Amino acid sequence: MGDRVDLQSILENILKTDHVYFQPPSSTNMIYPCIIYSRNSEKTEFANNTVYASKKSYTVIVLDKNPDSKIPDEIRKLPYCTFNRHYIADNLNHDVYTIFY
């Protein structure tokens, strides 16, 4: 796995636009459909009293007016990705995932 910039590129390829926002400020005017993602936590594994491996966790939210959007299906296919929940706010469908990258 790579760094956050690599994840940004992967998400942009899935969305087929650059409407992918990393921890956007509230003043950001977003264009839908879009993806918002942010750092969440980190999973660390230890061996012989030292860090053996670690992966950063990101919360990824797909926002789309279309309830039958195919974008969540593509996000779901990413390695180390789990579906968290779905909700509707401001007439937008929100699909929330956790990705270790």
Side-chain angles (χ1 to χ4, degrees):
M1 293 288 168
D3 59 12
R4 185 195 66 77
V5 176
D6 294 335
L7 179 59
Q8 173 89 20
S9 179
I10 289 168
L11 296 174
E12 287 175 353
N13 287 335
I14 288 172
L15 196 57
K16 296 180 177 60
T17 71
D18 62 350
H19 303 153
V20 177
Y21 308 97
F22 177 68
Q23 299 178 180
S26 59
S27 62
T28 302
N29 290 326
M30 290 185 260
I31 300 171
Y32 305 106
C34 71
I35 296 173
I36 299 172
Y37 69 110
S38 59
R39 282 280 307 272
N40 188 15
S41 64
E42 191 168 317
K43 181 179 179 181
T44 305
E45 296 180 27
F46 296 90
N48 291 334
N49 296 325
T50 188
V51 174
Y52 173 72
S54 68
K55 289 188 187 211
K56 293 178 176 120
S57 168
Y58 294 88
T59 298
V60 176
I61 306 172
V62 177
L63 291 87
D64 199 337
K65 294 176 184 177
N66 179 4
D68 298 319
S69 174
K70 300 296 182 194
I71 300 166
D73 296 337
E74 295 303 313
I75 297 292
R76 191 176 302 118
K77 293 176 186 176
L78 293 173
Y80 305 106
C81 178
T82 57
F83 179 74
N84 188 313
R85 67 186 179 282
H86 173 85
Y87 64 93
I88 300 170
D90 299 325
N91 290 325
L92 290 168
N93 294 278
H94 295 65
D95 290 286
V96 183
Y97 297 87
T98 300
I99 295 178
F100 285 91
Y101 192 81

